[in-house]
């Protein structure tokens, strides 16, 4: 009997030990370095843990201790190698169900190709080493350290790199995805609990389909210097900064956009940039839409509701707004404000409102300024404002057609 009790106790201890330390997970440690040939990361070897590249001993030096006269041997180490980098011409393929965790400040620098295609049952995770919800308790800290946004740097695609992402989950990065002079596609994926969502710079192009960005403490999407975002079915919620920043000859095309709970601007755009938003919903934003410097915005077949700002849509300096077959309702502040003046050095600012309803606000419906401002309003309902439906200053050209 005593021997039997000891055996049962040993089995119980081994079971608890195995459960505690997650020995069901394989693990592959990656210490920076360069991927220079086609490589596959497999579910069998998941999770992959990305650490900083390490130094190696390359020699030693000798000296004499001035006090004892004894010889002192000091090892010489190499400088750390590069962060994990996919070289031009090489492809890293990641199988469905793989988990990749990043130590503090780490990233993947993609100058070649990264193909990460999960599926609805087995998504691919890019997350923090402190995230114990997938891939086990990597640091064996029993949840004493919790993940935070900015735990790792993010996915950095540059130098003509290309990415193809499907069924991805990205969490706890500083900048989840950054494309610099690069291209890519992402679908059926989510970005959560990061500092910033997606950055496109220097002529990058990114295609998005059925993607969510939420719980971001900075900006959702940033376009800069001739970059292009083509989006279908993008959902953005609980963004502390701007939902969209579009600067300097950049372009946004968004269909089936769903935006809610934005603490910064829904859209901030300037520098000859353009955006089209269609078949979309914008709800519950504390700040509005601002664009200037010869930029243009088209909003069509879109509902905007329960929003607030001094002026929810504000545009000037030769910019243009087309508001077509859409609704803007329940506004705290001026609904739409635009101006164009001969002294500002820009061409005429323009407003087109057609087959649309702008109603229920605590201020003014349309506030239009300047001798270089032209408005064409047709088949529109502008009603139920505490102030005027339309206010005009300094001789704008306003054409109203029934």
């Amino acid at each position: 009997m005593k021997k039997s009790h000891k055996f049962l106790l040993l089995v119980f201890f081994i079971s608890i030990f195995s459960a505690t330390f997650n020995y069901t997970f394989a693990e592959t440690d990656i210490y920076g370095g360069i991927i220079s040939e086609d490589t596959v990361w497999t579910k069998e070897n998941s999770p992959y843990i990305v650490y900083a590249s390490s130094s190696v001993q390359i020699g030693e030096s000798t000296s004499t201790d001035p006090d004892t006269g004894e010889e002192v041997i000091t090892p010489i180490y190499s400088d750390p190698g590069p962060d994990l980098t996919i070289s031009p011409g090489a492809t890293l393929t990641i199988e469905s169900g793989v988990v990749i965790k990043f130590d503090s400040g780490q990233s993947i620098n993609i100058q070649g190709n990264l193909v990460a295609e999960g599926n609805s049952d087995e998504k691919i995770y890019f997350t923090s080493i402190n995230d114990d919800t997938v891939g086990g308790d990597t640091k064996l800290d029993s949840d004493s350290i919790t993940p935070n946004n900015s735990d790792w740097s993010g996915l950095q695609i540059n130098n003509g790199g290309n990415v193809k992402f499907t069924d991805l989950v990205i969490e706890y990065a500083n900048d989840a995805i950054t494309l610099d002079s690069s291209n890519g596609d992402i679908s059926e994926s989510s970005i959560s609990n990061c500092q910033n969502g997606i950055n496109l710079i220097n002529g990058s192009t990114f295609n998005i389909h059925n993607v969510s960005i939420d719980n971001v403490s900075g900006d959702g999407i940033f376009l800069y210097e001739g970059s292009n975002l083509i989006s279908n079915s993008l959902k953005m919620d609980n963004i502390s900064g701007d939902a969209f920043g579009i600067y300097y000859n950049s372009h946004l095309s968004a269909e089936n956009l769903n935006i809610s709970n934005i603490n910064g601007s829904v859209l901030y755009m300037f520098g000859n940039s353009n955006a089209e938003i269609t078949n979309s919903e914008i709800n519950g934003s504390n700040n509005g839409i601002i664009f200037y410097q010869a930029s243009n915005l088209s909003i069509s077949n879109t509902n905007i509701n329960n929003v607030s700002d001094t002026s929810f849509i504000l545009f000037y300096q030769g910019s243009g707004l087309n508001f077509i077959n859409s609704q803007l309702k329940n506004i705290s502040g001026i609904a739409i404000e635009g101006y164009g003046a001969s002294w500002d050095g820009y061409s005429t600012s323009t407003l087109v409102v057609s087959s649309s309803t702008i109603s229920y606000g605590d201020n003014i419906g349309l506030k239009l300024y300047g001798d270089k401002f032209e408005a064409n309003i047709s088949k529109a309902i502008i009603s139920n404002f505490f102030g005027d439906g339309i206010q005009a200053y300094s001789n704008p050209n306003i054409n109203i057609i029934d």
Side-chain angles (χ1 to χ4, degrees):
M1 289 293 294
K2 289 183 179 180
K3 184 175 182 180
S4 177
H5 279 302
K6 288 181 179 179
F7 175 76
L8 290 174
L9 181 62
L10 179 61
V11 170
F12 176 76
F13 175 76
I14 292 174
S15 298
I16 294 298
F17 185 84
S18 298
T20 301
F21 290 100
N22 294 299
Y23 278 109
T24 57
F25 292 97
E27 181 176 307
T28 303
D29 294 337
I30 306 292
Y31 290 90
I34 296 175
I35 297 174
S36 57
E37 59 185 27
D38 293 352
T39 302
V40 178
W41 286 2
T42 65
K43 181 180 177 182
E44 180 182 7
N45 292 315
S46 175
Y48 290 79
I49 316 300
V50 178
Y51 297 97
S53 58
S54 57
S55 300
V56 296
Q57 185 173 345
I58 58 175
E60 57 187 24
S61 63
T62 60
S63 60
T64 303
D65 188 309
D67 297 325
T68 65
E70 295 181 353
E71 184 180 68
V72 177
I73 299 176
T74 304
I76 301 173
Y77 292 94
S78 65
D79 293 331
D83 289 343
L84 181 61
T85 300
I86 304 173
S87 292
T91 298
L92 172 61
T93 301
I94 300 176
E95 292 183 346
S96 60
V98 168
V99 175
I100 304 100
K101 296 187 177 186
F102 294 83
D103 199 9
S104 176
Q106 296 307 297
S107 65
I108 300 181
N109 182 356
I110 303 150
Q111 299 179 14
N113 304 291
L114 175 59
V115 178
E117 296 182 289
N119 57 59
S120 58
D121 295 325
E122 291 186 313
K123 294 184 178 294
I124 295 170
Y125 289 82
F126 290 87
T127 189
S128 164
I129 195 173
N130 299 315
D131 182 3
D132 297 341
T133 63
V134 289
D137 183 3
T138 304
K139 298 180 79 172
L140 303 180
D141 56 19
S142 300
D143 298 324
S144 63
I145 301 176
T146 57
N148 294 290
N149 65 15
S150 301
D151 270 0
W152 60 288
S153 291
L155 304 177
Q156 300 173 0
I157 306 100
N158 54 60
N159 195 30
N162 188 277
V163 293
K164 186 175 183 181
F165 297 146
T166 304
D167 284 291
L168 227 63
V169 177
I170 302 176
E171 293 190 291
Y172 306 113
N174 186 64
D175 294 292
I177 299 173
T178 299
L179 286 89
D180 183 349
S181 306
S182 299
N183 302 296
D185 301 89
I186 184 170
S187 62
E188 315 299 329
S189 298
S190 66
I191 296 171
S192 301
N193 304 308
C194 295
Q195 177 70 28
N196 297 296
I198 297 171
N199 301 315
L200 308 183
I201 59 178
N202 294 326
S204 296
T205 297
F206 206 36
N207 294 282
I208 290 177
H209 182 264
N210 198 18
V211 169
S212 65
I213 302 175
D214 62 80
N215 296 319
V216 168
S217 57
D219 297 329
I221 295 178
F222 175 74
L223 313 180
Y224 186 77
E225 288 286 5
S227 293
N228 298 279
L229 180 72
I230 300 97
S231 166
N232 193 336
S233 299
L234 169 64
K235 182 178 181 180
M236 305 177 78
D237 181 53
N238 194 23
I239 309 295
S240 296
D242 298 340
F244 291 100
I246 307 171
Y247 302 169
Y248 299 118
N249 300 297
S250 294
H251 176 245
L252 166 69
S253 177
E255 185 174 1
N256 300 312
L257 182 66
N258 190 314
I259 293 180
S260 57
N261 301 311
I262 308 298
N263 289 322
S265 297
V266 170
L267 184 149
Y268 195 97
M269 178 169 66
F270 64 86
N272 198 34
S273 295
N274 299 279
E276 297 99 36
I277 298 172
T278 186
N279 298 318
S280 297
E281 300 281 339
I282 300 173
N283 295 284
S285 171
N286 292 329
N287 289 283
I289 294 171
I290 302 172
F291 58 103
Y292 54 97
Q293 291 181 348
S295 296
N296 293 282
L297 171 64
S298 175
I299 297 174
S300 62
N301 302 300
T302 291
N303 295 318
I304 303 173
N305 186 48
N306 191 27
V307 292
S308 62
D309 202 346
T310 303
S311 299
F312 183 72
I313 300 178
L314 171 64
F315 65 102
Y316 50 97
Q317 291 182 335
S319 297
L321 169 66
N322 290 344
F323 195 78
I324 311 297
N325 196 31
S326 296
Q327 297 187 63
L328 174 54
K329 292 185 174 182
N330 300 310
I331 312 113
S332 177
I334 299 167
I336 297 175
E337 180 176 3
Y339 61 87
S342 55
W343 51 262
D344 67 10
Y346 287 87
S347 60
T348 300
S349 295
T350 61
L351 169 65
V352 175
V353 179
S354 178
S355 303
S356 296
T357 298
I358 302 171
S359 61
Y360 295 102
D362 64 6
N363 205 298
I364 298 166
L366 307 181
K367 191 172 185 179
L368 313 176
Y369 295 84
D371 59 351
K372 292 186 70 174
F373 191 96
E374 181 174 324
N376 291 284
I377 302 168
S378 62
K379 298 180 181 179
I381 298 172
I382 303 173
S383 63
N384 295 295
F385 284 91
F386 185 80
D388 295 332
I390 300 175
Q391 279 189 359
Y393 298 90
S394 300
N395 301 313
N397 182 13
I398 301 175
N399 302 300
I400 298 177
I401 305 170
D402 291 337

